[in-house]
Amino acid sequence: MNPFAMGRPLEGVRVIDYSHFLAGPYLSRCLAALGAEVIKVERPKNGDAGRDHPYFIKGQSGYFIQQNMDKRGLCINVKDPKGLELMHKLVESADVFVENYRPGALNKLGLGYEQLKEINPKLVYCSVSAYGHTGPDSHRAGFGLIAEAKSGIMAMVGNPGEAPPLLRIALGDMYTGIHGVAAVNAALLGRVQSGKGQHIDLALYDTLVSMHEYAVQCYTLSGGKDIPEKTGQDLPTSTLYGAFAAQDGDLVIAAQVDDAWKRLATLIGEQLGQPEFAVDNRFHTSAGRNEHRLDILPVVRQWVASKTVGQCLADLEAIDVPCAKVQTIDEVMADPQIQARGMLIEQEHPVVGKVQLANLPFRFSGCDTNPQRPAPLLGQHNCEIAQGLGYDLNQIDELFADGVLYSEPTVSEL
C-alpha cells in the first residue's frame, strides 16, 4: 500500500509569488511543498534580486535555486499595459498573492491589495515588509539585519563590551516567512466560511519581537528593572545551559533541570576530585544555581577543557545529560540523523545538473512534500502560463516581440 496515497494539502491552490530575495520566496516555497501551484513572477531582464546572490555555479545562483524550487517561472514587464493586463488575468485565476516590497510600491504598478481585490474578491494577499503597512516607520526600507537589531535580540547575544555578532542565518526573513505560511493557510480556511479573501500584513520587526519568550515578560513584570544583557556563552537564568570549549572543539550542555544538574555535578566532582561540588546544596535548585553561577561555570569549564569533545559527549550521554557538539556545516551534511530525516535532497537542474540542497521540515503521514521540480530559469514557463490564461501562440509571440514577456537565452535551448 502506498503510504503517500493522499494528495498534498494545498493541491488546487494557485499562488502568485511576486516577491524577491528571501522572506517572500521562502513563504511561497513552503506553500509549493504543501502542494500549491506557485507561479514565480519576475521582471525583465534581471529577475528576482536573489539571482545575484552567491553561491554561483554555471551562472546560476544556489541561493535562488534553494528558495524557488517547485515553482513555475513567468517573466513579465508589468509596466507595459499589455503586461499588466496579463497579470490581472493571472490574478483572476489565483487564490494567493505574495509580495515583500515596501508598502505602497505595488500600488504604483496596479498590483496593490485594494486594486487586486476588485479583480478577485477571494484573493488572499500576503504582504511582508520590514515594519508593516502601519505605524511611523512603515515607509522605511529594511532587511532582516535591521529587524534583528531593532528587536532587542542582538543586544542579548555576544560578549559583554563587544559589538554583537551577526547571527549568520536570516532569522527575521525565515521566521516571518513561516508565519506567512500559517497566516495564508488560516485565511484560506476562513475564506471557506466567508467567501472573501483578505490582506495579511506581516512585518519582520513584529515577528522578531514576538520571539521574545523571556525578555519582554521579564522587563514588564519587573517594572522595567530587568533588561537582559549580553552574557557570552551561557544563560544566567538557566544554569547550567550554555556552550563550552573542549580540547578539540566546542559543545553545548543543557543541565538546567535539577535532576540532570545533580547527575552532571556528581560526574564532574568525581572526575576532578572535588566531591564537594556534587553535594553543595546551593546548587541543587534552579534559583540557587542562577545565584551562584559564577561559582559553577569555572568548574564546568575546567572539566570540559580537560577532555576532547568526544570524551565529553560520551560521559554526558552515559548519564543522560542533553549535550551536542557544535557542528560545522560539513558535519551537519554528514550527520546520519539529517540523512535519515531526508533533510538533504537532490535535484536535476537544467543548467547546473545535479544539486544537493536543504529540504523543508514538513513530514506528513499521507503525502510526500519533497520538491517535485527545480527552481525555474528566468521566464521558463512564460508560454504555458500565458496559454493557460487564454493567449494563443501568435499573441504570445507578439508579447515576446514587444518585450512584455522575456526569458533568458537558456530557456530556448531546453
Side-chain angles (χ1 to χ4, degrees):
M1 182 176 178
N2 182 5
F4 297 138
M6 297 170 59
R8 293 186 289 174
L10 294 183
E11 286 183 5
V13 173
R14 171 171 278 189
V15 178
I16 300 174
D17 176 10
Y18 200 85
S19 66
H20 57 148
F21 267 130
L22 186 53
Y26 178 73
L27 191 169
S28 57
R29 177 196 171 187
C30 291
L31 296 177
L34 296 175
E37 175 202 7
V38 178
I39 298 175
K40 173 79 176 178
V41 180
E42 302 177 77
R43 67 187 187 277
K45 296 181 178 179
N46 298 320
D48 181 342
R51 290 186 182 272
D52 294 327
H53 201 290
Y55 184 84
F56 296 107
I57 180 169
K58 296 183 179 180
Q60 299 291 318
S61 162
Y63 186 94
F64 180 89
I65 291 172
Q66 176 160 313
Q67 301 308 331
N68 292 281
M69 60 181 70
D70 262 351
K71 305 176 187 179
R72 293 194 294 160
L74 173 67
C75 186
I76 185 170
N77 179 11
V78 296
K79 294 181 179 180
D80 187 298
K82 289 178 288 187
L84 184 60
E85 179 184 6
L86 190 153
M87 272 297 297
H88 283 174
K89 288 184 178 181
L90 185 60
V91 168
E92 288 178 4
S93 72
D95 299 285
V96 180
F97 188 96
V98 177
E99 62 92 9
N100 62 344
Y101 287 84
R102 198 184 305 197
L106 294 194
N107 294 336
K108 302 173 184 177
L109 296 176
L111 297 174
Y113 173 64
E114 295 297 330
Q115 295 155 318
L116 296 191
K117 80 172 183 178
E118 294 299 319
I119 297 171
N120 182 353
K122 292 186 177 182
L123 187 69
V124 172
Y125 189 108
C126 186
S127 296
V128 178
S129 59
Y131 296 102
H133 283 234
T134 59
D137 290 332
S138 61
H139 66 287
R140 295 183 181 277
F143 292 90
L145 176 66
I146 309 302
E148 289 158 15
K150 293 273 287 184
S151 69
I153 292 175
M154 290 183 75
M156 300 190 303
V157 297
N159 295 313
E162 298 179 2
L166 295 182
L167 300 181
R168 293 298 301 274
I169 59 169
L171 190 66
D173 289 277
M174 305 292 267
Y175 194 61
T176 306
I178 202 64
H179 269 70
V181 175
V184 164
N185 278 290
L188 288 172
L189 183 61
R191 192 180 70 173
V192 174
Q193 297 294 330
S194 69
K196 297 179 180 179
Q198 57 184 305
H199 184 203
I200 299 167
D201 176 11
L202 290 169
L204 275 64
Y205 191 13
D206 293 350
T207 54
L208 288 180
V209 170
S210 78
M211 286 188 74
H212 283 296
E213 91 294 355
Y214 172 76
V216 170
Q217 51 91 2
C218 184
Y219 176 77
T220 58
L221 297 181
S222 69
K225 297 177 182 178
D226 201 328
I227 300 177
E229 299 176 343
K230 300 171 191 171
T231 58
Q233 285 76 44
D234 76 299
L235 288 181
T237 55
S238 295
T239 308
L240 180 98
Y241 192 92
F244 301 88
Q247 292 176 352
D248 60 347
D250 303 319
L251 68 146
V252 294
I253 303 173
Q256 77 279 26
V257 179
D258 289 348
D259 288 345
W261 164 256
K262 291 175 183 178
R263 295 193 298 272
L264 175 63
T266 299
L267 172 70
I268 291 177
E270 290 175 353
Q271 294 193 355
L272 291 183
Q274 300 180 31
E276 67 279 3
F277 187 67
V279 297
D280 194 326
N281 289 331
R282 296 178 303 161
F283 307 156
H284 285 183
T285 65
S286 176
R289 287 192 298 279
N290 292 338
E291 181 180 355
H292 300 286
R293 61 185 275 272
L294 296 182
D295 295 322
I296 292 173
L297 289 173
V299 179
V300 177
R301 288 171 180 153
Q302 178 188 353
W303 176 76
V304 174
S306 70
K307 297 173 174 287
T308 65
V309 169
Q311 290 169 337
C312 287
L313 296 180
D315 286 350
L316 293 169
E317 289 171 358
I319 60 171
D320 197 25
V321 170
C323 58
K325 182 180 182 181
V326 177
Q327 295 191 139
T328 54
I329 198 64
D330 57 322
E331 292 171 319
V332 175
M333 297 283 283
D335 192 327
Q337 179 65 21
I338 290 300
Q339 295 177 353
R341 293 287 293 172
M343 281 306 299
L344 298 174
I345 50 100
E346 285 189 350
Q347 288 188 316
E348 280 291 334
H349 187 273
V351 174
V352 175
K354 185 174 290 187
V355 293
Q356 190 176 51
L357 301 164
N359 204 353
L360 292 170
F362 303 125
R363 299 292 179 271
F364 289 77
S365 62
C367 62
D368 182 4
T369 59
N370 285 311
Q372 306 297 308
R373 66 168 82 208
L377 300 175
L378 186 58
Q380 182 175 346
H381 304 100
N382 287 345
C383 291
E384 65 181 69
I385 292 170
Q387 283 182 299
L389 296 174
Y391 289 83
D392 62 35
L393 292 178
N394 288 331
Q395 291 173 311
I396 293 171
D397 286 342
E398 289 179 7
L399 292 174
F400 271 105
D402 293 342
V404 176
L405 293 177
Y406 172 83
S407 61
E408 63 179 279
T410 307
V411 172
S412 61
E413 300 171 6
L414 294 178

